[in-house]
Amino acid sequence: MLVTNHVLSGAIIGATARGPWAAFATGFASHLVLDAIPHWGRFESHEHFMRVAVADGLTGLAVMGAATAAARPADRVAVFAGMAGAAFPDLNKPSKIFFGHSFFPRRFDEFHGRIQDEAPDRFRSHELVAGALFAAGFAGLVLAGRRRGRR
Ligand SMILES: [Zn+2]
């Protein structure tokens, strides 16, 4: 699954969690759940994978910044922690590219690779739909929190 979608779902987790540690742990677990449900992947070439990965990584970082800024001040650290936990398992990819190896235990990376349910024709039908739902869910939580805060 796109790291941007992991980040967006992590923002929802952070906005609803009982503090930053719970948000990070739940975000981390959510990553594995989302990777196991059908999503977009299996690119025809390494170049295609890299183009998607770089655009997705930069988008994910931008979303992390925007969601942290949009979160209610009381939720801000937990929202950031939820997103960081949700994105964390995918740090094996930049780690392999920049350092030549993953810093996760080999068994974890094998498990992470084995659970993937990927197909190349699922960008619009799965990633875009999931991204829109996660973004709308987080926006709804932020707006509901603002309204609650005003009373
Ligand atoms: Zn993953």
Side-chain angles (χ1 to χ4, degrees):
M1 178 159 293
L2 292 175
V3 79
T4 300
N5 280 345
H6 287 301
V7 165
L8 284 166
S9 58
I12 293 177
I13 289 165
T16 53
R18 288 170 178 268
W21 289 107
F24 187 90
T26 311
F28 190 95
S30 80
H31 184 108
L32 302 174
V33 172
L34 289 178
D35 271 0
I37 65 172
H39 60 277
W40 187 43
R42 291 231 181 108
F43 303 106
E44 76 271 12
S45 66
H46 182 68
E47 286 66 38
H48 188 193
F49 166 78
M50 284 303 293
R51 246 181 294 135
V52 171
V54 169
D56 179 35
L58 294 174
T59 306
L61 279 176
V63 168
M64 274 181 106
T68 304
R72 292 197 322 149
D75 295 338
R76 202 158 275 158
V77 177
V79 166
F80 181 80
M83 295 187 291
F88 193 65
D90 273 350
L91 288 181
N92 64 345
K93 287 162 195 156
S95 165
K96 275 185 200 150
I97 290 161
F98 292 120
F99 306 113
H101 60 88
S102 165
F103 56 79
F104 289 110
R106 191 171 49 87
R107 277 165 180 264
F108 178 78
D109 279 341
E110 281 171 5
F111 172 73
H112 188 186
R114 209 169 337 119
I115 60 174
Q116 304 294 324
D117 182 350
E118 298 181 320
D121 58 348
R122 292 180 182 157
F123 177 67
R124 282 164 203 271
S125 59
H126 292 65
E127 298 287 345
L128 274 185
V129 171
L133 288 175
F134 290 149
F138 179 65
L141 284 170
V142 169
L143 292 174
R146 291 234 172 94
R147 209 165 302 130
R148 213 181 322 120
R150 222 177 284 141
R151 262 184 226 142

